[in-house]
Amino acid sequence: MLTRVITALRPRKFEMTEENVKKLFRQCDSMRLALVATLFLLFVLAAVNARAVPMQSLDATGDAVELSVEVEKDPDSFIDLMKQEFARGNIDSAGYFAEQLVPLRPQEADVHAIYSISLAATGKNAEAREQLNAAKRLGPDTLFTLAAEAIILQREKNYTEAIKKCEQAIALNATHPYPRNILGRVYADMGHHAKALDCFQKAVELKVDFLLGYINLGAVSYLTGDYERSIASFSKAIELNRNAYAAHYGLGVVYETLGKNKEAMQALQKSLELRPGNASALETLGKLQLKEGLIEAALQTGNEMASKNMDGAFVLLGDALLQAGKTDEAIASLKKAPQGGAEVPYLLGYCEMVQGRYEAAERLMEDVLKIDPRHFGAYSARTALKLYLGKPIDPKKELANQWDPAIGKLLHFTAGCLAATEKRWPDALKEFQSSEGMINGYSLAGIDPKTFTAGINEKEGRYLNLGVLYYFKRQIGRAHV
């Protein structure tokens, strides 16, 4: 007899000397900033929910038993259960049953087809094709064989043919949510977000507990900037299956974008409990830990990534070590990181700054801008370094804000420091006023030009600007908006 399956599917003046600048940088991890850079993270639309704990069933006494044994006892009942799990969007669970059932019911086309779908959903297209071919040899196309072929074609980026297979599957059975889910995935891949949302919405209307529909609704809503709908969709997916790691990860991405770092870290940590090897979640978590001043936690995350040979490990470790004041160790770590991108020379530039090698730091920031001309961190640092070194600055080229106005407040501050260095006091006051709000509580309200001029001198500008740059380093490092 089939037992119950448990799917535990949870305003005073600060003297700006070089030494104080460096102290400020070392202390910046404990500071809370009002400026939040706009961060974007690409993430793959979910195709499966993780089986974080082995599926179990209970015997009459409530003790756990091995499901594979139960499947062998009554395979036909488990074929029905496999289809129920599939209809709910629990593709990993359905795939688990299908894998057990293939040798027990080799003449069941739907078993092969659902196993094919679960294989394709995890990127195993060759194996998926084998199972699909086995299903097609057993009879005419069914909803499941058409859906299997559609997801394989979607993974192969053959979108035109994938759409045809989805439409054929819908024509066979207009009430099943899965073909519309794959059709939505195809439209999302093509960038047709409105069509994708319509498909996912229709899927969850057809079956209100269809897990994948909510996960994909959350993903595409995020991409369209509808964060409220994205959060609601991911939350509904978690309500349906608390072990849906993709939904926890998606929530983490949305909360990070909204600047809700603590909530983002909680969601990412839950995602990692369910899928420990998720490199994107680990890397994002590490960066958030740095933003929140959790240097030791970031080092732990970086070391975990390094132990698994994950990309981004040595960059994260280098950044954490830099903020911990261990500059030599930071340089050693960054030299182990893959070269060729913008982030390594950018962080090495800060290492050079902290060690007082400002010319070398400027050259590194120039290198970053050759790789990525819109790297705000390097753009603002290069101008600050030129100001510090007393080099000429063209404000139209080196202080032009091509980014978000909130981020650009730092450029206004640098322009104010430049004007102060050149004794252009009215211009300096105007630029400093334009930078108000870049740090929580920073305001020049009530300060008249005379008081302002008496409170600053031309020698302080270069130190003041470099100090604020250090202060903001963690926030502007990846601002490429």
Side-chain angles (χ1 to χ4, degrees), residues 117 129 132-133 136 140-156 158-174 176 178-184 186-187:
I117 290 168
R129 276 282 181 196
L132 174 60
N133 290 337
K136 291 171 80 71
D141 275 330
T142 66
L143 165 78
F144 302 107
T145 58
L146 289 166
E149 194 160 6
I151 189 173
I152 291 170
L153 290 165
Q154 179 258 333
R155 288 303 174 107
E156 293 173 345
N158 189 344
Y159 299 133
T160 300
E161 291 302 314
I163 290 172
K164 289 179 183 177
K165 296 301 177 183
C166 289
E167 290 173 344
Q168 290 173 28
I170 292 169
L172 278 180
N173 185 343
H176 200 288
Y178 193 76
R180 295 182 191 277
N181 178 70
I182 293 300
L183 186 58
V186 173
Y187 284 136

Side-chain angles (χ1 to χ4, degrees), residues 297-347:
L299 287 169
Q300 269 190 330
T301 301
N303 283 320
E304 182 180 349
M305 292 175 66
S307 71
K308 297 175 181 177
N309 297 316
M310 291 182 176
D311 290 342
F314 291 110
V315 171
L316 176 59
L317 283 170
D319 202 348
L321 289 164
L322 172 62
Q323 294 193 38
K326 300 177 181 180
T327 314
D328 291 335
E329 292 179 48
I331 292 171
S333 179
L334 290 167
K335 287 182 177 179
K336 294 179 185 177
Q339 306 297 308
E343 201 63 14
V344 170
Y346 175 64
L347 292 171

Side-chain angles (χ1 to χ4, degrees), residues 42 168 389:
L42 296 176
Q168 290 173 28
L389 293 166

Side-chain angles (χ1 to χ4, degrees), residues 73-260:
K73 290 179 182 178
D74 190 1
D76 292 332
S77 294
F78 276 93
I79 289 175
D80 292 338
L81 183 57
M82 171 191 70
K83 292 181 180 179
Q84 290 170 22
E85 288 296 294
F86 181 76
R88 283 196 287 266
N90 288 321
I91 304 304
D92 193 68
S93 302
Y96 172 82
F97 290 128
E99 183 178 12
Q100 303 297 317
L101 288 164
V102 162
L104 300 173
R105 288 291 184 269
Q107 298 305 308
E108 286 283 345
D110 292 346
V111 170
H112 289 285
I114 290 176
Y115 188 31
S116 173
I117 290 168
S118 73
L119 289 167
T122 55
K124 298 176 181 177
N125 270 23
E127 296 96 323
R129 276 282 181 196
E130 290 178 10
Q131 291 299 320
L132 174 60
N133 290 337
K136 291 171 80 71
R137 285 194 294 268
L138 293 170
D141 275 330
T142 66
L143 165 78
F144 302 107
T145 58
L146 289 166
E149 194 160 6
I151 189 173
I152 291 170
L153 290 165
Q154 179 258 333
R155 288 303 174 107
E156 293 173 345
K157 303 186 187 305
N158 189 344
Y159 299 133
T160 300
E161 291 302 314
I163 290 172
K164 289 179 183 177
K165 296 301 177 183
C166 289
E167 290 173 344
Q168 290 173 28
I170 292 169
L172 278 180
N173 185 343
T175 65
H176 200 288
Y178 193 76
R180 295 182 191 277
N181 178 70
I182 293 300
L183 186 58
R185 290 288 311 279
V186 173
Y187 284 136
D189 287 355
M190 297 171 72
H192 301 326
H193 294 150
K195 288 184 176 180
L197 288 169
D198 286 344
C199 289
F200 298 138
Q201 184 61 43
K202 181 63 175 178
V204 298
E205 288 171 0
L206 288 170
K207 190 159 182 59
V208 295
D209 59 350
F210 185 63
L211 177 70
L212 291 184
Y214 292 106
I215 293 177
N216 286 328
L217 268 176
V220 179
S221 296
Y222 168 78
L223 294 174
T224 60
D226 190 346
Y227 302 132
E228 185 176 344
R229 186 180 187 184
S230 181
I231 290 171
S233 299
F234 286 133
S235 298
K236 178 63 177 179
I238 292 167
E239 178 186 324
L240 292 171
N241 180 342
R242 65 177 181 271
N243 282 0
Y245 83 93
H248 290 285
Y249 176 64
L251 270 181
V253 171
V254 182
Y255 285 138
E256 181 203 20
T257 302
L258 293 173
K260 297 182 177 182

Side-chain angles (χ1 to χ4, degrees), residues 412 415-434 444 447-450 452-454 456:
H412 283 293
C417 290
L418 174 62
T421 301
E422 297 172 349
K423 298 184 180 181
R424 293 185 286 110
W425 306 119
D427 291 339
L429 179 57
K430 180 182 176 181
E431 293 292 352
F432 284 140
Q433 287 171 334
S434 295
L444 296 180
I447 297 179
D448 57 42
K450 183 177 180 180
F452 170 77
T453 304
I456 189 171

